[in-house]
Amino acid sequence: LEVQQAVLGDGHPDVARSLVGLGNVHMHCTSYSLAFELYEKGLEIQEQVLGRNHPVTATTLSNVGLAYEKLGNCQKAVELHEHASAVLSKQLGGKHPEVARVLSHLGQAYRAAGNLVKAKECHEEAHAIREKVLGVQHMDTAFSLACLGSLSGQAKNYRKAMEYQMMSLAITESSVGPDNIATAIAVHNLGRCMQLAGETE
């Protein structure tokens, strides 16, 4: 990053991309405040150089929304994800995988805000796009199913939750094999649903 800034200048798109990449690393490490700062810096450059309605800018805006959610401002997260989704739908088309990704983020923010109905709508739309564009056996499709399963479980619809988690597990195991960590997570999700169902019956 320092080399890029020295050679290309602080306002270059490659510098913005590196800032966002560093933000992603800090998000994975749960350093949400630092991730937020890096995303904001990258977004500022992208808005100036690429414009507010560029798909790359919209994707970074959604990343800022993710950081807002982790920092407890779910309403701001919803606002940013909605704007990013609108831009991406207009620029890339409503059935693009990146639109599905941001819709999934939007669903996550709605869920964190306690609006399970809107969260379900967003995850269902994301799943429909992924299933149509990426295919029923894609890992992103499995992820959407897992999100829907988790939501159904939170709504105490454990039978439906198990259906979603079983489908997610089948896709995941088929895609990456039984010994992958993603499969282990899918097994855990299904087991949790089964446990909750047993606790209520």
Side-chain angles (χ1 to χ4, degrees):
L1 175 60
E2 291 179 359
V3 173
Q4 287 180 324
Q5 289 173 321
V7 175
L8 303 174
D10 290 337
H12 195 277
D14 286 351
V15 173
R17 184 164 58 246
S18 293
L19 287 166
V20 172
L22 281 173
N24 291 338
V25 171
H26 284 288
M27 278 291 285
H28 286 302
C29 295
T30 68
S31 300
Y32 303 127
S33 294
L34 187 50
F36 176 80
E37 293 176 14
L38 292 164
Y39 286 150
E40 284 273 87
K41 290 178 182 177
L43 179 64
E44 183 179 358
I45 296 169
Q46 289 168 346
E47 286 181 337
Q48 291 175 355
V49 178
L50 304 175
R52 292 176 179 270
N53 293 319
H54 193 282
V56 171
T57 307
T59 296
T60 300
L61 185 67
S62 185
N63 287 345
V64 176
L66 288 174
Y68 266 118
E69 181 202 326
K70 294 298 185 181
L71 293 170
N73 193 338
C74 298
Q75 190 53 50
K76 186 65 175 180
V78 166
E79 178 186 324
L80 296 184
H81 292 316
E82 285 183 335
H83 183 72
S85 176
V87 171
L88 289 167
S89 293
K90 183 176 180 179
Q91 299 296 331
L92 304 177
K95 302 301 181 184
H96 194 279
E98 188 62 19
V99 175
R101 190 177 76 89
V102 172
L103 282 169
S104 183
H105 292 167
L106 179 57
Q108 181 178 315
Y110 271 124
R111 181 180 180 179
N115 192 335
L116 299 188
V117 173
K118 290 294 290 184
K120 186 171 183 285
E121 290 176 5
C122 292
H123 284 301
E124 284 179 337
E125 188 175 353
H127 175 252
I129 294 170
R130 285 167 167 165
E131 191 172 58
K132 182 175 182 179
V133 178
L134 302 175
V136 294
Q137 296 297 318
H138 196 279
M139 285 294 292
D140 285 353
T141 305
F143 177 75
S144 287
L145 288 166
C147 289
L148 287 166
S150 182
L151 273 173
S152 296
Q154 189 172 347
K156 302 188 186 309
N157 188 346
Y158 301 120
R159 293 290 183 186
K160 194 65 179 176
M162 281 192 287
E163 288 179 21
Y164 282 129
Q165 298 295 3
M166 287 176 70
M167 288 189 287
S168 178
L169 173 58
I171 295 168
T172 303
E173 190 168 20
S174 174
S175 298
V176 299
D179 298 323
N180 191 279
I181 188 170
T183 303
I185 292 171
V187 169
H188 171 79
N189 291 342
L190 177 57
R192 181 59 179 158
C193 285
M194 295 174 70
Q195 181 184 27
L196 289 171
E199 289 173 354
T200 59
E201 293 176 357

